[in-house]
Amino acid sequence: MDTPTTDAMGAGEPEQGGVIPGVAGPSYSLWRMPCDSMPVLISVPHAGRCYPPEVLSALRDSDEAQLRLEDRYIDLIAKPVAAETQTSLMVAEAPRAMIDLNRSVEDIDWGMVRGASMRPVRHSLANRRSRNGLGLVPRRIPGMGEIWRRPLDKAQLENWIAGIYTPYHAALGRELERLRDRWGVALLVDLHSMPPLRKNHPQDRPAEFVIGDRFGASCDPGLVDLAIRYLANQGRRVAHNRPYSGGYVLDRYGQTTRGIHALQIEVCRSTYLDARLDQPSARAGAIVKLLGGLVRMLGTEVGSMGRGERMAQAAE
């Protein structure tokens, strides 16, 4: 499946910001739809493939690490979905191996950082993922073990945070606020992909899609129910919050009392990639069509929520 051009995105050249240390390329791209047809922003934090040479050489098995850490080519699904629905889109260009944008900046395994004084391990939500090897900078992958040949330098980590993490979240926050100011409400669709879920028994048919809303904390339940029913009505197997309920992005941006809603969509890689889960397959077009319909339906519903809020405010 071809990547849409910027003309196909309908918004001209994207805003690009941040910098990936080691390649001097932008760490994110943001397409804003000029007509603001819907108060929806699609974000893709884990599909970046711009690897500095020194990062590839520092990985023990760079090919396997890329295959396991990336939400493989889910950006090639997101771009035509955004183009067809005229929805704003933010894509991380930096790879997850360098910085996981779906983690708190405090979620660091300081044992993998050279030149940093060891900080006390607090058993809290802030660092629970780093304790499992998948913190702000991934350290271990199940079945692979340690992914780095050597520790990171503290200065290197600080440069990665300054060039990749901080600009991405600043731009994401600004765009959500812009949509919210324009419509009175906004929806963030944080798009990810997942490896095929394990079967619990031989006849089990695991979910192909998982909708996450932090167990009701990040999104209006009516929107979540709409998404689940839409996918089920299309004959797709869908789960809610298990095994993926969303991460830091939903925790940070899902502010329903302010009219900003956030949900995570996990797409099984077998639905759009080849048998090795490596390259896009002929099935990718069907997933673009499916998610395009979902985003369009959610956008219409969110837009009506915003209009209702504004009318209520005008009557006061």
Side-chain angles (χ1 to χ4, degrees):
M1 183 176 61
D2 294 333
T3 305
T5 64
T6 51
D7 288 340
M9 288 296 299
E13 293 295 327
E15 170 192 312
Q16 293 186 311
V19 62
I20 303 174
V23 295
S27 62
Y28 73 83
S29 297
L30 170 61
W31 287 267
R32 290 192 183 92
M33 292 302 135
C35 60
D36 276 349
S37 60
M38 290 188 294
V40 178
L41 170 62
I42 301 172
S43 59
V44 183
H46 284 168
R49 297 183 293 278
C50 189
Y51 290 85
E54 61 267 28
V55 169
L56 291 175
S57 64
L59 290 166
R60 293 179 184 273
D61 185 338
S62 61
D63 290 341
E64 187 66 15
Q66 291 175 66
L67 195 64
R68 296 283 300 279
L69 284 172
E70 292 174 9
D71 283 354
R72 197 73 160 180
Y73 294 118
I74 195 65
D75 57 316
L76 300 190
I77 299 293
K79 288 176 180 177
V81 168
E84 291 173 12
T85 59
Q86 288 294 286
T87 300
S88 294
L89 171 67
M90 186 160 184
V91 176
E93 307 292 351
R96 184 185 180 189
M98 296 178 73
I99 288 287
D100 189 334
L101 295 162
N102 200 23
R103 299 289 183 265
S104 165
V105 75
E106 298 176 355
D107 201 351
I108 298 171
D109 183 344
W110 290 102
M112 65 182 293
V113 182
R114 182 170 46 214
S117 57
M118 293 296 292
R119 304 191 181 189
V121 175
R122 297 182 178 89
H123 292 277
S124 68
L125 292 177
N127 69 353
R128 65 187 177 89
R129 290 187 172 89
S130 66
R131 297 198 305 271
N132 293 327
L134 290 173
L136 183 69
V137 179
R139 179 175 182 173
R140 295 183 301 277
I141 299 176
M144 282 188 66
E146 298 276 342
I147 67 172
W148 299 99
R149 298 180 186 275
R150 52 188 175 272
L152 301 177
D153 290 327
K154 182 183 178 184
Q156 183 181 32
L157 173 61
E158 291 171 345
N159 287 338
W160 289 2
I161 292 172
I164 299 170
Y165 187 93
T166 302
Y168 180 90
H169 282 288
L172 185 60
R174 285 195 303 268
E175 181 62 9
L176 283 172
E177 291 293 336
R178 185 185 73 84
L179 289 171
R180 196 261 177 205
D181 290 347
R182 163 74 172 79
W183 288 82
V185 67
L187 172 65
L188 174 64
V189 176
D190 201 39
L191 187 61
H192 296 254
S193 71
M194 62 183 182
L197 298 176
R198 292 182 180 179
K199 293 184 177 183
N200 293 321
H201 52 79
Q203 287 73 43
D204 190 20
R205 301 184 69 204
E208 301 168 296
F209 298 85
V210 179
I211 305 297
D213 65 349
R214 301 302 287 156
F215 298 98
S218 69
C219 189
D220 179 88
L223 294 174
V224 176
D225 182 63
L226 197 64
I228 292 171
R229 285 190 288 110
Y230 169 85
L231 291 170
N233 289 341
Q234 297 296 316
R236 296 292 182 163
R237 302 187 300 276
V238 57
H240 183 204
N241 282 324
R242 300 188 187 278
Y244 303 107
S245 66
Y248 174 75
V249 167
L250 266 59
D251 287 339
R252 176 167 175 170
Y253 298 105
Q255 303 173 33
T256 57
T257 58
R258 297 187 60 243
I260 300 179
H261 303 266
L263 60 81
Q264 178 176 285
I265 301 177
E266 291 275 2
V267 182
C268 182
R269 291 170 197 156
S270 67
T271 64
Y272 69 95
L273 295 178
D274 59 18
R276 190 172 178 265
L277 306 181
D278 183 22
Q279 296 295 318
S281 73
R283 296 186 298 276
I287 299 303
V288 169
K289 182 178 180 181
L290 179 74
L291 292 182
L294 174 59
V295 168
R296 191 175 294 108
M297 184 181 63
L298 289 172
T300 300
E301 182 67 18
V302 176
S304 67
M305 291 167 58
R307 287 190 293 272
E309 287 179 7
R310 287 199 296 274
M311 286 188 292
Q313 291 168 0
E316 291 177 354

